[in-house]
Amino acid sequence: MQLTVWTYEGPPHIGAMRVATAMEGLHYVLHAPQGDTYADLLFTMIERRAKRPPVTYTTFQARDLGGDTAALFKDAVAAAYERFRPQAMIVGASCTAELIQDDPGGLAKALGLPIPVIPLELPAYQKKENWGASETFYRLVRALSGPPVERGPVDGRRRSCNLLGPTALGFRHRDDLIEIRAILGRLGIAVNVVAPSGATPADLGRLGEADFNIVLYPEIARAAAQYLEKAHGQPFVETVPIGVGATTRFVEAVAALAGVDPAPVLAGAPSRLPWYSRSVDSTYLTGKRVFVFGDATHALAIARVAAQEIGFRLVGLGTYTREFAREVRAEAALHGIEATITDDYLDVEAAIQAAAPELVLGTQMERHVAKRLGIPCAVISAPVHVQDFPARHSPQMGFEGANVLFDALVHPLMMGLEEHLLGMFRDDPEFHDGAAPSHLGHRPSDGTHAVGRAPAASPLAPAPAPIRIEGEAAIQTASWAPDAEKELKKIPFFVRGKARANTERYARERRLPLITLETLYDAKAHFSR
Amino acid sequence: MNAHAPQPAACDVEIRPERGQRAVFCGLTSIVWLHRKIQDAFFLVVGSRTCAHLIQSAAGVMIFAEPRFATAIIDERDLAGLADMNEELDRVVTRLIERRPEIRLLFLVGSCPSEVIKLDLSRAALRLSQRLAPEVRVLNYSGSGIETTFTQGEDACLAALVPGLPEATEADDDLLVVGALADIVEDQFARLFAELGIRARFLPARRAERMPSVGRGTRYLLAQPFLTDTARALEERGARRLAAPFPLGAEGTTGWLRAAAEAFGIDPARFDTVTAPGLRRARQALAPYREKLSGKRVFFFPDSQLEVPLARFLAREMAAELIEVGTPYLHRAHLAAEIEQLPGGTLVVDGQSLDDGLDRCRAARPDLTVCGLGLANPLEAEGLTTKWSIELLFTPIQGYEQAGDLAELFARPLDRRARLEV
């Protein structure tokens, strides 16, 4: 048993719903108790879908358990077929129905419906939402993609690809797809089928006609792409095009597979991110301590953007996607940090506190943790709430996605000039340590300056270095002489914490009883080596 | 008193049972408002990831403010053997109480998975109660979807509280008001009863150690229509229910208060004096909304069992027309005073067959459809105006002072549709 308040992922049948809801002409009959229909509102409210998800629930109750729940299930399948006339169906059990052990696959098969009925085995007590989506998509592709297709000779023919992975309730999947389609259009590559999003079961039957596959979200589509590689000989590209570098690599990889020239797409300055990052206002972003957490796809991609394209320093990286733990650990190791692989938000909160970042990039959950800790934050991954299914075009992928990311990652922080002014005029009433970024409105003032204090207290302090402590006295922190304390306050607040910690460490190591003006500058000189 | 209201004609009300797919919440959802009401209680759901996901979805952002509810997620190891599972539960509870020492009352809330595998939570509650006494009392009830629909979770919770309520003495001639009400509503009612000269106490109380007493002779008034099991448990303790409509709207509130006043032998003149200011304000607040809601055709999908009293309010006080009143469960005795006041020809559907209900709704094309969040946007997209029903549970709607707010909840979607030009 695991004590849980917040869960990053729903149960696996929610993943199956994400696939079914993304598709057209597919119906899902879910053997589930009354109440499991709550999942509908994730789609109708958070994603604001205008249609009910194509899911029929058996909604059995206690009085049904004494009778024949199997018959109830069969009736539900038959009625759903009659009413919706889908091209194909998926059937399965939610967590409770898994325990009562009716066999959805067998029962549905016994009905002899004239359409493919694909049974799903989604172990609800072991697996979670993303796995459920991946497994469902894989099963659909396996059942419907048909026998190997004879593709015409490649010479002179326009190549085509499938785009795999976008689902319902996917973080920015809608707009990512627009960006990727545009890139492929400019490369002269045809898109054969996009799936699951917008595809029908019949479309899945045409998957084999493409020359290759593009996996946009490995958590969801890697298994299906691996199957298609084996069954249809289709190679696949799995570079997630989030960030300028990754998009460039993606374009090159796709162009190489299609035998086309990537140059027209890469020519000029396809994204504003590089110039914005180079502009002097961004100098202040250098080395800002950032903590990244999310699903593996986004955490990995955003960590690279943060470190290599915006110049932040990665002080934390983690994911709740255990299936991709190895990849995330490897990336974290490159930054000399240990990855946080957990689905317990309290562990993530502890890791954030320990890493003392100046910016948190995470899910809805990290947004709340960061708010509590008074740290700026941007959302980069599901789970997200309704505001992260925006009306405006806001992709994460492609060159426009990189533009969106630059804004998203930088806005929660002080603009460079603003931060500079705060340092220069810190004694002016308008520019005090507690001033929040001017574009983010104001926190209620309770006399303490949470924003100013947080960075001064911890994030800018040097990483704890092993200090040899000799004797009891060494633990004592030297007290500050009034003039030294006064001088310290003249140091801009965003480096003041570091200056204070360094000076105290310097004094401690030298067992100085009092920190004077001289000690302050001695320490500054010592640490500036 | 209400010139626009249709004449009551109870005999014409058709009550039609229906079975089939149901689009409703399970009883776990009621934790979201119950935990706010009982301030030192903690609700631990013993269930699956689905249960945790449901509560998270229902609780929205509330989940981050150190909520007093959580889920002990059953995993594969637990399913291997029952003995092991009780140990696991004890471990989880111990950890929980260590982290939250201020908790005085812990509810172990059963779910579909825990009920289906027959995990004996009542025994677990006894065992843990003995271990954690006297600081923490541990109770259990089921909020599972197989046994409870949405607000029935509150019923199960309150019913679990009843056996442990202190025994009332002969001297305690208090009125017991049953059903969680928003604090502001509870305070208003407490003041009104005090002015009438009735000592009223409320179940649930705001703190675990201040739960009201009950005994032979206790007279209770249901503030909510979904308290079947709680009422039964109270009757077993010798309490007697006062038949009344529910305190929604000016009429409902007056009827509800009057039932108590009559039972306690309050002078009618005094009753009129005490209720007059509230009644006047409620009528005043309702008047502008009657214009907007009068003649509007309303369709209720089943959700909370509040549908019948709400329909009565809309028909009688707002002069709305009722197409269909769906309710997940109909307790005829508790709702007798309500059904009696429904306009003639009203169709009350007890239970649900979702797709059939949707067919009827689409065919009728109501002016306003009251439904859950899973249906609301899809129906809006079909051009129907909807009012999402969950809000009626989270918003203070009972009593005189809230009558206008209640009408506004129904008028707002119509107003909005009229405003939008794109």
Side-chain angles (χ1 to χ4, degrees), chain A residues 410-451:
Chain A
V410 172
H411 273 187
L413 298 167
M414 299 278 182
M415 298 292 151
L417 189 60
E418 190 178 357
E419 185 163 312
H420 182 69
L421 289 173
L422 279 176
M424 293 271 290
F425 305 117
R426 65 189 174 277
D427 291 329
D428 292 8
E430 290 86 355
F431 295 100
H432 57 81
D433 293 7
S438 59
H439 53 283
L440 292 184
H442 296 285
R443 274 155 216 276
S445 171
D446 59 354
T448 60
H449 300 311
V451 183

Side-chain angles (χ1 to χ4, degrees), chain B residues 52-326:
Chain B
H53 196 233
L54 158 87
I55 297 185
Q56 170 174 323
S57 308
V61 294
M62 211 193 280
I63 200 139
F64 304 102
E66 279 294 312
R68 280 174 289 100
F69 54 82
T71 310
I73 295 187
I74 298 169
D75 58 32
E76 216 185 3
R77 291 175 303 120
D78 301 312
L79 293 174
L82 279 178
D84 181 28
M85 213 154 158
N86 282 313
E87 279 168 33
E88 281 287 291
L89 184 59
D90 290 8
R91 183 181 60 78
V92 165
V93 168
T94 307
R95 188 177 164 210
L96 180 72
I97 296 298
E98 277 168 10
R99 283 172 61 109
R100 305 295 297 268
E102 77 281 14
I103 297 306
R104 293 287 163 268
L105 180 57
L106 173 68
F107 287 102
L108 300 179
V109 188
S111 64
C112 300
S114 74
E115 295 296 326
V116 167
I117 61 172
K118 306 220 182 298
L119 178 63
D120 192 342
L121 287 181
S122 62
R123 187 180 296 185
L126 261 176
R127 182 178 69 235
L128 286 162
S129 250
Q130 282 162 1
R131 219 177 72 196
L132 298 170
E135 285 82 14
V136 185
R137 202 149 59 91
V138 186
L139 295 175
N140 102 285
Y141 71 89
S142 173
S144 74
I146 55 178
E147 289 154 305
T148 58
T149 303
F150 195 25
T151 48
Q152 283 178 321
E154 176 175 329
D155 186 26
C157 173
L158 300 190
L161 274 172
V162 171
L165 295 180
E167 186 65 37
T169 58
E170 291 291 322
D172 293 346
D173 191 20
D174 293 354
L175 172 70
L176 186 59
V177 178
V178 186
L181 293 165
D183 287 351
I184 185 165
V185 178
E186 187 180 307
D187 292 343
Q188 288 165 10
F189 285 150
R191 282 197 298 270
L192 279 171
F193 284 125
E195 282 174 50
L196 286 170
I198 301 171
R199 281 196 309 177
R201 282 172 313 144
F202 294 81
L203 180 70
R206 295 179 202 185
R207 303 198 70 85
E209 71 273 23
R210 289 194 213 133
M211 290 296 165
S213 58
V214 65
R216 204 151 293 285
T218 299
R219 283 165 289 181
Y220 70 94
L221 201 49
L222 294 179
Q224 301 280 15
F226 42 72
L227 299 172
T228 306
D229 291 347
T230 308
R232 192 181 303 135
L234 287 168
E235 309 263 334
E236 278 167 18
R237 297 274 313 255
R240 278 178 296 131
R241 182 176 70 90
L242 303 178
F246 291 92
L248 298 168
E251 268 187 32
T253 302
T254 306
W256 188 74
L257 292 170
R258 192 190 303 280
E262 282 171 0
F264 281 78
I266 306 299
D267 173 22
R270 184 169 185 191
F271 180 81
D272 290 344
T273 313
V274 169
T275 53
L279 193 54
R280 180 181 48 78
R281 284 195 297 268
R283 283 180 182 153
Q284 188 184 342
L286 286 172
Y289 296 110
R290 190 205 303 273
E291 257 172 71
K292 294 175 180 171
L293 290 165
S294 168
K296 291 290 186 288
R297 300 163 63 248
V298 185
F299 190 107
F300 281 88
F301 277 94
D303 189 51
S304 64
Q305 298 183 47
L306 280 166
E307 295 83 2
V308 169
L310 288 171
R312 180 265 301 158
F313 161 72
L314 285 179
R316 287 184 58 89
E317 299 190 46
M318 294 292 104
E321 198 182 309
L322 303 175
I323 298 173
E324 176 174 326
V325 183

Side-chain angles (χ1 to χ4, degrees), chain B residues 14-18 324-325 330 332 347-351 360:
Chain B
E14 185 194 346
I15 297 172
R16 187 191 298 169
E18 190 171 54
E324 176 174 326
V325 183
L330 187 73
R332 295 190 189 209
L347 170 63
V348 175
V349 175
D350 175 6
R360 294 196 297 272

Side-chain angles (χ1 to χ4, degrees), chain A residues 1 4 7 34 44 62 126, chain B residues 22 56 71 76 88 146 377:
Chain A
M1 264 181 209
T4 315
T7 151
Q34 165 178 266
T44 60
Q126 297 166 31
Chain B
R22 295 165 73 104
Q56 170 174 323
T71 310
E76 216 185 3
E88 281 287 291
I146 55 178
N377 270 337

